[in-house]
Structures are given as structure tokens and as C-alpha cells.
């Protein structure tokens, strides 16, 4: 039996030991993908028993595209003063919330760029007002780099900024901006974004305050497999630390490949580099499967349909993912980089899950199950007869 087979055999046991970085590296380099996905599915059922796959009805609100961080892979931002730059008003944002309420949504993901002029009061007052107008909507807002930007402007610590935002009504801090938590990679793709430790510190502060948090990972920058595993290891270590305090930690982990259109990073992918950047479905599914086996302390692994498409997202459900993500009404950030479809209806997500052989279940931002909708019967029954 080869080393990778031995590792997968051990990981198939009833109570598998924690996967080490060295073992994960062997799986990355050598394991057969089908067998890797099979073992990841076993781990999925250890942590999330049953045959259901969750989804979230939410929308994105990108309140501003003004940003001074200039990440090389970002096609969304505009520098201050650019003719295409914008900043939305509370009424404009509120209209979008109302649209979400109309379709039974429960969460808004509100993110923008690092705006150089907005004071903390702008953020707290807008959150406070939105909570008053839309009390049924969870507000998951900003990302660690935006929190750092606000901190620099107002002169308070990031922990104090988070506390003020939470008091105003913020429910969670999404895990955007992690990309690759390896400083050499960060310096190459996003030199102004700050160190991996900054992202982890702000997340730690958010978790200590009880805010809902998630972990993300972007692959395909030309990093090594060991870089990816360093990223996973840093997240697993912070999760251990947070759980040991009796706190909830990251609700979920989601990875996706960098998008290469309309940004300066994508230009590196020309010529001989054409096939070395980004990630195809084989590589993506391998990463999902290894993440599922590696994270013995994070319950939920999301499939990324917006970047990989619905078919590959369905396959990710056989590689350890137990969540198909969200409806993402009006996503603007990743879609600026060339993905063709960045919005799905609830019905479509239900259909995608059901046709893969799972039971779609609507959830909220904290992964509380909201209802169960069995639609296989409807999908697979013959169509009603048509009038002549
Ligand atoms: S990814 Fe975020 S921080 Fe980076 S340039 Fe785009 S908006 Fe700014």
C-alpha cells in the first residue's frame, strides 16, 4: 500500500486522527482524486450527518467601490476620485434590503473597498438605521481589511471598532480578504493589504466578541501546495484557540480560484503562464476534499458555484462540501473579474442540490436550519400533460 493509500485508509476509520501537514501534502501530491473525494465524504458525514445540503437566501450589497488597497487580482475597486467610483446612501441600501425581504431572504453581505474618508460614525449610523428598518435581516458586514481601514481613520483599535459596529447591530464579520495567509504570497499579490497575522488578529477579535465569522481561501496565485496547507493550518490553529474558550469560531470554510479577467494579476497569466494560474475543476475538487479532511474543527464546507459553475459545485458535494452557498443577489466583486453568472434563485439552488441526490435545506447565516424542502418528487416526475 502506498503512503497516500495508507493515509486515506487511516482517515476512513470511525474516529480518524487529525491530519498533519505532512500527510496532507502527500495527499495533495499523490492521492487518487476519486478515493480522496470518497474519504472526504466520510468526513462530511462524521461532522454533518444526514443527506441534506444547506443554502442561504441572501444578497450582496457593495456599498462603495472606492478602495486604496489596489489588490492586483481585484477588478471591482476604483481609486478615490475615479469617474466610476460610487458610495451608496442608506436609502439606496435599504431598497436592496427590501428586495431581499420580498423573496424571504435572511442575510445581507455588505462589503466595499477601503474608503479613505468614511468615519466610524458613517458605518455605525448606517448599520443602526438598517437594523431599525429591516430587523429580520442579519447584517454580515465588511472584512478584516475594511475594519483596519476604519481603525486607521478613527484612531481606535480594530477591537474597539468591531465592538462599536456590533453595538450598532452588526451580526457577523465575513472572512473575505484572507486569500492566501502566507506573507510571501500576500506581498506579491496585494502588497498593501497587510500580513496574514493582521487578518487572523481581527478575526480573533471578532470571534471573541461573539460575531459570526467564516474563513475563506483563494487559490491559483502560483502558490505551492505547502502554501495552501500553511493557510489551512493557520485557520485550524485559530479555530482550536477560539473553540478552547467555549466560543463558536468559524462557522464554515470556502475556497475558490482567483479570477483572471479585468485585473492586473490576470495579465500575468498570458503566454507561457497561461495554464499555471487559477485552478481547474480537478485542482479545485482536490482542495475541497483535503480541506474537509484537514478541518476536524470546522463543521461546514461550502461549494463555490459562482466561480466553478453549478456542475462542479455539485461534484464538490461529493468531495466533502455540505453547503451550496447562497443566492448572492447582485454580487459585484468577483463578477467584475469575469465570471459569467453571479446570481441564483432559491429554486435553482434547490434544484442543483436535489439533482445531485441531496436534500436542499434553507439555513440562516449561523447555519440554523430554517426548513426542509423535498423537491425530488417534483423534479423527477413527468411533466403535466399539455393542452392540445
Ligand atoms: S479586494 Fe478588497 S481590499 Fe483589495 S482592492 Fe479590491 S476592494 Fe480593495
Amino acid at each position: 500500500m502506498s503512503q497516500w493509500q495508507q493515509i486515506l485508509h487511516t482517515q476512513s476509520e470511525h474516529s480518524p486522527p487529525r491530519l498533519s501537514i505532512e500527510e496532507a501534502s502527500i495527499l495533495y501530491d499523490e492521492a487518487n482524486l476519486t478515493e480522496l473525494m470518497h474519504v472526504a465524504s466520510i468526513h462530511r458525514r462524521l461532522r454533518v450527518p444526514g443527506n441534506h445540503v444547506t443554502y442561504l437566501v441572501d444578497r450582496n450589497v457593495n456599498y462603495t467601490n472606492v478602495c486604496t488597497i489596489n489588490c492586483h487580482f481585484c477588478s471591482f475597486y476604483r481609486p478615490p476620485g475615479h469617474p466610476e467610483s460610487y458610495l451608496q446612501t442608506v436609502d439606496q441600501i435599504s431598497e436592496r434590503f427590501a428586495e431581499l425581504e420580498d423573496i424571504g431572504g435572511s442575510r445581507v453581505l455588505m462589503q466595499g473597498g477601503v474608503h479613505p474618508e468614511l468615519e466610524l460614525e458613517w458605518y455605525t449610523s448606517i448599520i443602526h438605521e438598517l437594523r431599525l428598518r429591516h430587523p429580520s435581516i442579519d447584517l454580515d458586514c465588511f472584512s478584516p481589511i475594511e475594519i483596519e481601514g476604519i481603525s486607521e481613520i478613527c484612531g481606535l483599535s480594530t477591537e474597539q471598532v468591531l465592538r462599536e459596529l456590533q453595538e450598532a447591530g452588526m451580526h457577523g464579520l465575513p472572512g473575505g480578504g484572507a486569500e492566501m495567509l502566507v506573507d510571501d504570497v500576500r506581498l506579491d499579490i496585494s502588497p498593501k493589504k497587510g500580513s496574514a497575522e493582521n487578518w487572523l488578529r481581527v478575526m480573533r477579535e471578532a470571534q471573541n466578541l461573539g460575531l459570526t465569522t467564516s474563513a475563506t481561501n483563494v487559490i491559483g496565485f502560483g502558490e505551492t501546495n505547502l502554501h495552501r496547507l500553511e493557510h489551512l493550518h493557520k485557520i485550524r490553529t485559530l479555530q482550536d484557540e477560539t473553540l478552547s474558550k467555549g466560543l463558536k469560531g468559524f462557522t464554515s470554510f470556502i475556497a475558490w480560484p482567483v479570477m483572471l479577467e479585468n485585473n492586473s494579476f490576470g495579465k500575468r497569466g498570458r503566454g507561457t503562464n497561461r495554464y499555471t494560474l487559477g485552478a481547474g475543476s480537478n485542482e479545485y475538487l482536490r482542495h475541497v476534499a483535503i480541506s474537509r479532511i484537514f478541518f476536524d474543527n470546522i463543521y461546514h464546507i461550502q461549494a463555490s458555484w459562482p466561480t466553478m459553475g453549478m456542475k462542479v459545485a455539485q461534484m464538490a458535494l461529493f468531495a466533502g462540501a455540505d453547503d451550496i452557498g447562497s443566492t448572492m443577489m447582485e454580487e459585484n466583486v468577483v463578477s467584475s473579474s469575469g465570471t459569467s453568472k453571479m446570481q441564483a434563485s432559491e429554486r435553482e439552488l434547490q434544484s442543483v442540490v436535489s439533482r445531485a441526490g441531496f436534500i436542499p435545506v434553507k439555513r440562516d447565516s449561523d447555519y440554523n436550519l430554517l426548513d426542509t424542502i423535498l423537491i425530488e418528487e417534483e423534479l423527477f416526475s413527468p411533466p403535466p400533460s399539455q393542452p392540445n
Side-chain angles (χ1 to χ4, degrees), residues 13 28 53 62 95 99 105 164 174 196 199 215 243 245 350 373:
E13 291 170 1
Y28 232 123
V53 165
N62 302 117
E95 269 177 42
E99 288 169 5
E164 298 266 347
W199 188 93
L243 295 183
K245 298 174 195 161
Q350 289 170 349
I373 302 170

Side-chain angles (χ1 to χ4, degrees), residues 67 69-71 73-74 76-77 112-114 145 193:
C67 189
I69 302 298
N70 310 353
C71 300
F73 54 84
C74 181
F76 165 73
Y77 83 92
V114 176
I145 187 67
K193 204 161 205 170

